[in-house]
Amino acid sequence: MASLETEAEQEPLLGSRTSGSREWNVIETEEHYKSRWRSIRILYLTMFLSSVGFSIVIMSIWPYLQKIDPTADASFLGWVIASFSIGQMVASPMFGLWSNYRPRKEPLFVSIFISVAANCLYAYVHVPASHNKYYMLVARGLVGFGAGNVAVVRSYIAGATSLQERTSAMANTSACQALGFILGPVFQTCFALIGEKGVTWDAVDLQINMYTAPVLLGACLGVLNIILILTILREHRVDDSGRQCKSINFEEANTDEVQIPQGNIDQVAVVATNILFFVVLFIFALFETIVTPLTMDMYAWTREQAVLYGGIILAALGIEAVLIFMGVKLLSKKIGERAVLLGGLTIVWVGFFILLPWGNQFPKIQWEDLHNNSIPSATFGEIIINFWKSSREDHYEEPTGCPVEQAWCLYTPVIHLAQFLTSALLVGIGYPACNVMSYTLYSKILGPKPQGVYMGWLTASGSGARILGPVFISQVYTYWGPRWAFSLVCGIVILTITLLGAVYKRLIAFSVRHGRIQESAS
């Protein structure tokens, strides 16, 4: 018997098939088929925009935070970034439960509206006379709360596809989410050309610059998304064989509906997959967070250079991710989702191991910030030379280099640009592969039952990772430096690979576990 998981990978990247074709010999009208896939594609877009909402300001949060509130430090940056995920972690189970009993349009509309309003608030955080950093914290938290609709999207797509279609559909969904995370900074890079000053719309006291333009774009896209959901999205639900099932979400009754198959879900596999997904999102969140501070410290880039060059690097990773998504769908047909997940984690470990600092070359220090501090590693002549150079530069030029307040700057070797780019390349390979396979396996483990709450918990798990990832890397990097930070990351990935090995045989589809379908992919 041919593997159903293998056949599922024949689904094209955007889920389209020849009109009238049907798997499992299930009778489905052409109108129903087109409506089902139109709805799924609308939710692909929703997933993409949700993740773009997180990453579109990642590269500019730090310089913008410094500009609107000089009292903010790198530690507070971690909390600002993490606030998005705190909001998402709180909202995901709520929206997931809501979607189990009511039409999905309701939680989707409410969540996207919240995100649009929060993006508008972010554009005005410079207006208050004080405590601006806390307004930014609230704005990002509300954007994250709106992004809790990820659980609704995952639940809908899992329930609207047969087991044959599931791998491809979930892979496409993960691809849209991951592309949003990776390509969001590309939009920021484009807006970097506007500059910090930009233009001001006096009538509404709105500054349109490289920091606010991305969120205003996000608000406009959110409005478009709401319109598409209200006009195109329809409720569909099928079982593992592709037959339409009864659901409280249905807007229309159907005499061909069948009951949902019964059976227990493997809770050990569910918990293990949540942990695996947590680590995958943890790794990418901390990597994306550290790009700007790391490049400013190691390569003496200015704020604008860090936003521009960092965005270009992540844009290249976005192109790489598209190739990876295509590749892992083909590769999983040969070796299975579990093996691809294991390989992705291994590649991520290699990427962070390469990022460890070595050698005897040290980063440039921000000499302008020195007062009465003595630095044993610098001679008096070197201090005079650097002071002479700084006095010849533009008086208004911002200080660059590794801040002397970070004591590790004085004794930690520089991370060479080639190291950083190689690491980014490998993380860009491992993260998309792990992201796709984690969600695909999770969806298959849950089976045809309503997945709203379970998807809510998985989304909350990923949100928790994006909370702890930025906080972890900001704290460890600021006080202990990159050597300790990336060594700890390598240790975490090794523990995760060990966990995957322990539960490897349990990560199988619900129907396979209950003997309804044969599994041939390993």
Side-chain angles (χ1 to χ4, degrees):
M1 178 179 178
S3 167
L4 299 178
E5 294 185 3
T6 298
E7 293 177 7
E9 297 297 344
Q10 295 174 358
E11 182 74 29
L13 182 62
L14 293 180
S16 60
R17 300 177 296 177
T18 303
S19 178
S21 66
R22 302 292 178 267
E23 298 170 344
W24 299 78
N25 297 319
V26 174
I27 298 175
E28 182 182 37
T29 65
E30 182 176 354
E31 181 182 358
H32 183 275
Y33 168 74
K34 289 182 177 180
S35 175
R36 185 162 62 92
W37 281 101
R38 274 198 303 267
S39 298
I40 290 173
R41 291 181 185 119
I42 290 300
L43 295 185
Y44 287 165
L45 175 63
T46 301
M47 180 67 77
F48 174 78
L49 294 179
S50 176
S51 54
V52 166
F54 170 77
S55 63
I56 196 170
V57 295
I58 282 293
M59 300 302 301
S60 64
I61 280 183
W62 178 230
Y64 189 35
L65 187 60
Q66 290 179 310
K67 179 180 179 181
I68 65 171
D69 196 331
T71 65
D73 56 15
S75 297
F76 192 83
L77 167 67
W79 288 109
V80 170
I81 296 176
S83 65
F84 175 98
S85 299
I86 294 174
Q88 189 180 50
M89 184 174 67
V90 172
S92 294
M94 297 167 53
F95 287 137
L97 182 62
W98 189 353
S99 70
N100 272 3
Y101 298 100
R102 295 289 301 171
R104 274 81 165 206
K105 285 184 179 181
E106 294 178 7
L108 287 173
F109 172 81
V110 171
S111 61
I112 297 172
F113 179 81
I114 292 173
S115 293
V116 171
N119 278 326
C120 294
L121 173 62
Y122 185 92
Y124 281 95
V125 296
H126 65 280
V127 174
S130 62
H131 302 101
N132 304 77
K133 63 182 181 181
Y134 296 109
Y135 288 101
M136 178 183 285
L137 187 71
V138 171
R140 292 300 296 168
L142 290 175
V143 172
F145 191 90
N149 60 20
V150 168
V152 181
V153 173
R154 293 285 184 184
S155 174
Y156 180 96
I157 294 176
T161 53
S162 67
L163 188 61
Q164 269 189 313
E165 299 168 324
R166 189 79 51 76
T167 298
S168 180
M170 296 304 289
N172 295 339
T173 310
S174 295
C176 291
Q177 183 184 40
L179 281 173
F181 283 133
I182 294 173
L183 295 181
V186 177
F187 296 111
Q188 172 66 76
T189 302
C190 296
F191 288 117
L193 300 176
I194 300 177
E196 286 191 323
K197 185 176 180 180
V199 296
T200 301
W201 188 358
D202 295 326
V204 292
D205 198 18
L206 176 64
Q207 290 183 3
I208 303 176
N209 53 37
M210 62 184 287
Y211 304 124
T212 61
V215 295
L216 294 175
L217 173 64
C220 294
L221 293 176
V223 172
L224 174 62
N225 196 11
I226 289 176
I227 295 173
L228 292 175
I229 287 174
L230 294 178
T231 58
I232 297 178
L233 183 69
R234 297 293 181 269
E235 296 290 344
H236 296 282
R237 184 169 184 78
V238 298
D239 66 4
D240 279 354
S241 298
R243 297 171 297 180
Q244 188 167 309
C245 298
K246 291 182 179 180
S247 172
I248 191 68
N249 307 103
F250 271 116
E251 298 164 342
E252 299 177 1
N254 192 311
T255 57
D256 296 329
E257 293 173 356
V258 298
Q259 296 295 334
I260 298 173
Q262 299 300 311
N264 296 325
I265 297 173
D266 187 348
Q267 298 297 335
V268 173
V270 168
V271 173
T273 309
N274 272 276
I275 296 174
L276 293 171
F277 187 70
F278 174 92
V279 174
V280 171
L281 268 293
F282 180 89
I283 295 300
F284 188 73
L286 67 84
F287 182 80
E288 210 171 29
T289 301
I290 202 60
V291 165
T292 301
L294 180 68
T295 53
M296 290 176 69
D297 291 346
M298 293 293 163
Y299 315 123
W301 289 353
T302 64
R303 291 195 299 265
E304 289 193 9
Q305 287 175 326
V307 171
L308 177 62
Y309 299 156
I312 292 173
I313 291 171
L314 292 180
L317 293 185
I319 298 174
E320 178 189 17
V322 174
L323 301 177
I324 297 303
F325 292 133
M326 296 172 61
V328 296
K329 292 178 70 173
L330 297 175
L331 184 60
S332 63
K333 293 195 297 183
K334 304 292 184 181
I335 63 176
E337 290 96 343
R338 295 171 295 182
V340 174
L341 178 58
L342 177 61
L345 287 172
T346 303
I347 292 173
V348 168
W349 181 86
V350 174
F352 278 94
F353 182 80
I354 290 175
L355 201 54
L356 294 174
W358 56 274
N360 54 12
Q361 181 179 347
F362 299 93
K364 172 191 173 184
I365 304 298
Q366 284 191 19
W367 300 112
E368 294 86 346
D369 292 338
L370 290 179
H371 299 291
N372 296 322
N373 299 9
S374 60
I375 303 178
S377 59
T379 66
F380 179 80
E382 290 172 334
I383 295 176
I384 294 299
I385 290 173
N386 279 278
F387 177 81
W388 177 77
K389 287 182 177 180
S390 65
S391 65
R392 293 171 59 91
E393 296 172 349
D394 184 357
H395 177 71
Y396 296 101
E397 183 177 353
E398 65 180 274
T400 60
C402 200
V404 72
E405 289 82 4
Q406 298 176 162
W408 55 264
C409 292
L410 304 176
Y411 58 79
T412 301
V414 68
I415 296 175
H416 299 277
L417 185 59
Q419 278 180 269
F420 175 72
L421 295 178
T422 303
S423 174
L425 176 68
L426 293 175
V427 173
I429 293 173
Y431 166 71
C434 293
N435 184 287
V436 169
M437 294 303 111
S438 297
Y439 255 126
T440 301
L441 286 168
Y442 191 72
S443 174
K444 290 189 173 184
I445 289 168
L446 295 177
K449 296 184 178 182
Q451 299 185 5
V453 175
Y454 278 103
M455 286 297 179
W457 287 118
L458 186 67
T459 304
S461 174
S463 300
R466 287 194 295 270
I467 293 170
L468 297 179
V471 174
F472 168 85
I473 199 65
S474 297
Q475 297 292 331
V476 177
Y477 177 83
T478 300
Y479 297 108
W480 293 352
R483 177 172 288 159
W484 268 101
F486 301 139
S487 295
L488 290 174
V489 172
C490 288
I492 291 171
V493 177
I494 289 176
L495 292 176
T496 306
I497 292 174
T498 303
L499 172 64
L500 176 58
V503 299
Y504 194 86
K505 294 184 178 180
R506 305 188 70 143
L507 303 182
I508 57 177
F510 178 92
S511 297
V512 173
R513 179 170 176 263
H514 290 281
R516 298 189 182 99
I517 295 175
Q518 179 181 348
E519 180 190 46
S520 62
S522 58

